């Protein structure tokens, strides 16, 4: 296989189609436009631009009922057709095609020439761990909850309570935008002040991922304002802006902090078996290539559920050594509580960020106890002790109360 092509894999549902013909139509239609009608001299000129069908695998189960017949199509697109940026690649392989029948983009394999334009995450798993000085356990992230309409004093107190619970990262809620009550720089200043206060008590470093928002043209300037005010991480709603916006931010030499990618809007792309872009590509490979240091996505266990197999494929894409950029931290999220920690560690191992909002703030003993309950659940699971057994030990009251509230799964 030439290294000068990117290969797209699609799943295409159709009860009657000749899938080989369909694949050929895509390969030609998305590259040179027409082929058989061209004079021979023109064909020779266009050859280097022509898409190629690599494989067509038809799945037609015996006695298939209407709607069950599909094929996986692999098509190679010459690099020469698109510039080395994700918008160009995505429009080439799935622009108009995304609207043309039941077809889903499952995967993309990039040429080394294409990936050479992408340094990927500036920090990645190793860099985030180094900033925090934590190397021997999964990390814990807490999410602000109830932020709209709160002032700086209130926000600072929420931050402080989360920090006291022993979390490693605190992220803004993704729905907190620029607003008069808690403007970006002031928010960073008070929260980082609370982080320092908590560190004096816990001895623990902490990253605060402040939500980077505003018009695209002002994102880099806003990120730098936040960093000047003391921000040591950023949260970014990547799919609302596009991967290229993330790529630009992560490549900017003056943006010197990790970027956490929020999956807001991902549900518009991945859940259908027939349409959109697969979760491992959308939230895994493309987020990582575009430079996300941490990537949030729904887990198989919480309130917004993604099937386990798909979930593990997202994780695999974030750490796959085959992609020549640093690994991104997987952050399975939504509806996570301490009783789910054994499942998270079973499926994701140590290189994971356990992330919770309601599962921290909703703790019956308060927000700080919410963080402590998670840290206790992580420690018990790493030690091979079941949560109910650990919860009976002295000093484990936070874990005990969490399990009493939400139960546990092992
Ligand atoms: C998949 C994103 C999860 C998220 O951003 C969020 O705010 C979760 O909150 P909880 O943990 O479900 O309360």
């Amino acid at each position: 296989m030439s290294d000068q092509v990117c290969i797209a894999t699609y799943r295409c549902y159709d009860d009657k189609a000749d899938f080989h013909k369909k694949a050929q139509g895509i390969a030609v239609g998305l590259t040179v436009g027409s082929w058989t009608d061209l004079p021979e001299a023109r064909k020779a000129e266009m050859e280097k631009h022509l898409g190629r069908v690599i494989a067509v695998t038809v799945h037609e189960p015996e006695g298939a009922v209407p709607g069950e017949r599909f094929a996986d199509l692999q098509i190679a697109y010459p690099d020469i057709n698109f510039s080395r940026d994700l918008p160009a690649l995505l429009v080439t392989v799935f622009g108009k095609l995304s609207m043309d029948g039941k077809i889903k983009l499952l995967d993309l394999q990039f040429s080394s020439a294409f990936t050479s334009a992408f340094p990927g995450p500036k920090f990645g798993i190793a860099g985030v761990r180094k900033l925090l000085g934590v190397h021997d356990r999964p990390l814990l992230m807490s999410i602000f909850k109830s932020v709209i309409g709160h002032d700086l004093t209130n926000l600072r107190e929420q931050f402080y309570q989360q920090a006291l619970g022993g979390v490693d990262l605190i992220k803004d809620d993704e729905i907190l935008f620029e607003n008069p009550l808690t403007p970006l720089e002031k928010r960073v200043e008070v929260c980082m002040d609370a982080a320092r206060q908590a560190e004096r008590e816990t001895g623990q470093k902490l990253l605060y991922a402040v939500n980077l928002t505003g018009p695209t043209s002002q994102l880099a300037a806003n990120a730098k304002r936040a960093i000047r005010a003391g921000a040591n991480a950023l949260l970014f709603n990547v799919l609302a802006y596009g991967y290229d916006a993330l790529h630009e931010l992560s490549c900017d030499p003056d943006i010197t902090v990790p970027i956490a990618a929020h999956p807001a809007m991902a549900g518009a792309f991945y859940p259908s078996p027939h349409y959109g872009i697969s979760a491992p590509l959308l939230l895994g490979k493309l987020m990582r290539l575009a430079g996300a240091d941490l990537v949030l996505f729904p887990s198989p266990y919480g309130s917004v559920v993604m099937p386990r197999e798909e979930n593990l494929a997202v994780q695999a894409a974030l750490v796959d050594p085959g992609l020549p950029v640093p690994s991104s931290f997987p952050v399975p999220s939504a509806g996570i509580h301490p009783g789910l920690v054994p499942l998270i560690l079973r499926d994701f191992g140590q290189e994971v960020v356990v992330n919770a909002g309601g599962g921290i703030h909703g703790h019956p003993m308060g927000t700080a106890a919410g963080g402590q309950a998670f840290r206790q659940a992580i420690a018990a699971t790493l030690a091979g002790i079941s949560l109910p057994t650990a919860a009976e030990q002295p000093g484990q009251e936070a874990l005990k109360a969490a399990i009493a509230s939400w139960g546990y799964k092992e």
Side-chain angles (χ1 to χ4, degrees):
M1 177 62 54
S2 157
D3 188 39
Q4 286 158 15
V5 295
C6 288
I7 299 174
T9 305
Y10 308 93
R11 180 157 294 175
C12 178
Y13 280 83
D14 198 306
D15 287 334
K16 296 198 182 78
D18 175 341
F19 285 120
H20 291 84
K21 211 167 152 191
K22 171 110 187 160
Q24 194 57 34
I26 294 170
V28 175
L30 294 187
T31 57
V32 297
S34 76
W35 185 250
T36 43
D37 300 340
L38 293 178
E40 288 309 313
R42 192 84 183 111
K43 274 188 184 173
E45 277 170 41
M46 299 306 277
E47 184 80 31
K48 62 179 182 294
H49 295 284
L50 182 62
R52 304 264 173 214
V53 178
I54 304 290
V56 176
T57 314
V58 181
H59 299 257
E60 195 163 19
E62 189 91 349
V65 296
E68 276 185 359
R69 182 173 180 268
F70 69 90
D72 288 342
L73 320 177
Q74 271 201 326
I75 295 172
Y77 296 89
D79 279 3
I80 193 175
N81 288 4
F82 44 88
S83 44
R84 288 184 194 171
D85 57 83
L86 288 171
L89 176 65
L90 290 173
V91 170
T92 297
V93 304
F94 206 45
K96 201 165 68 177
L97 182 61
S98 68
M99 299 171 271
D100 192 7
K102 287 186 175 171
I103 188 156
K104 181 165 180 170
L105 179 61
L106 296 184
D107 191 26
L108 285 171
Q109 289 164 255
F110 316 108
S111 67
S112 50
F114 187 79
T115 52
S116 68
F118 296 86
K122 218 177 247 157
F123 294 84
I125 294 182
V128 169
R129 283 198 177 283
K130 195 167 166 201
L131 287 177
L132 290 166
V134 178
H135 299 280
D136 56 352
R137 61 169 171 80
L139 300 182
L140 175 61
M141 185 193 289
S142 172
I143 310 164
F144 270 109
K145 282 290 153 184
S146 182
V147 283
I148 290 178
H150 291 264
D151 62 13
L152 287 167
T153 310
N154 192 298
L155 212 70
R156 187 191 189 286
E157 181 56 20
Q158 260 200 62
F159 190 100
Y160 181 60
Q161 291 302 324
Q162 292 175 88
L164 279 186
V167 304
D168 303 293
L169 303 104
I170 297 177
K171 81 161 190 70
D172 269 348
D173 208 351
E174 70 281 3
I175 56 169
L176 185 62
F177 304 102
E178 193 57 4
N179 71 93
L181 281 176
T182 51
L184 180 71
E185 283 148 304
K186 290 269 174 262
R187 187 157 95 236
V188 169
E189 279 163 20
V190 299
C191 289
M192 292 312 291
D193 186 57
R196 285 186 289 274
Q197 187 188 348
E199 188 179 343
R200 287 194 287 276
E201 296 190 37
T202 62
Q204 200 182 319
K205 288 201 179 78
L206 195 151
L207 295 176
Y208 169 38
V210 66
N211 199 16
L212 178 61
T213 67
T216 307
S217 59
Q218 289 168 32
L219 286 173
N222 288 348
K224 290 168 202 175
R225 279 201 297 129
I227 292 166
R228 273 196 301 276
N232 56 7
L234 299 167
L235 177 73
F236 189 48
N237 289 308
V238 176
L239 298 175
Y241 288 96
Y243 293 109
D244 199 52
L246 171 61
H247 174 60
E248 292 270 307
L249 294 166
S250 74
C251 286
D252 190 321
D254 297 325
I255 297 179
T256 49
V257 300
I259 303 176
H262 196 278
M265 292 181 52
F269 295 92
Y270 75 78
S272 164
H274 300 131
Y275 303 101
I277 302 177
S278 76
L281 179 59
L282 185 81
L283 296 169
K285 216 179 242 191
L286 291 172
M287 288 290 192
R288 183 175 164 203
L289 198 65
D293 296 286
L294 307 105
V295 181
L296 283 72
F297 51 91
S299 81
Y301 341 97
S303 54
V304 181
V305 175
M306 182 191 289
R308 182 165 177 267
E309 201 182 321
E310 204 175 358
N311 216 248
L312 295 183
V314 174
Q315 182 235 11
L318 293 174
V319 300
D320 175 11
L323 197 63
V325 297
S327 299
S328 310
F329 240 128
V331 191
S333 306
I336 302 298
H337 60 77
L340 298 174
V341 165
L343 295 186
I344 297 173
L345 271 55
R346 178 199 69 192
D347 286 345
F348 290 85
Q350 288 230 25
E351 299 302 8
V352 68
V353 179
V354 177
N355 181 31
I360 284 189
H361 300 282
H363 191 282
M365 292 158 62
T367 296
Q372 287 155 10
F374 270 103
R375 288 292 302 272
Q376 290 166 357
I378 291 170
T381 306
L382 289 179
I385 303 170
S386 80
L387 296 190
T389 305
E392 291 309 319
Q393 306 301 312
Q396 304 287 301
E397 291 75 18
L399 178 58
K400 189 170 180 175
I403 291 175
S405 280
W406 294 303
Y408 70 98
K409 289 187 185 161
E410 284 178 326

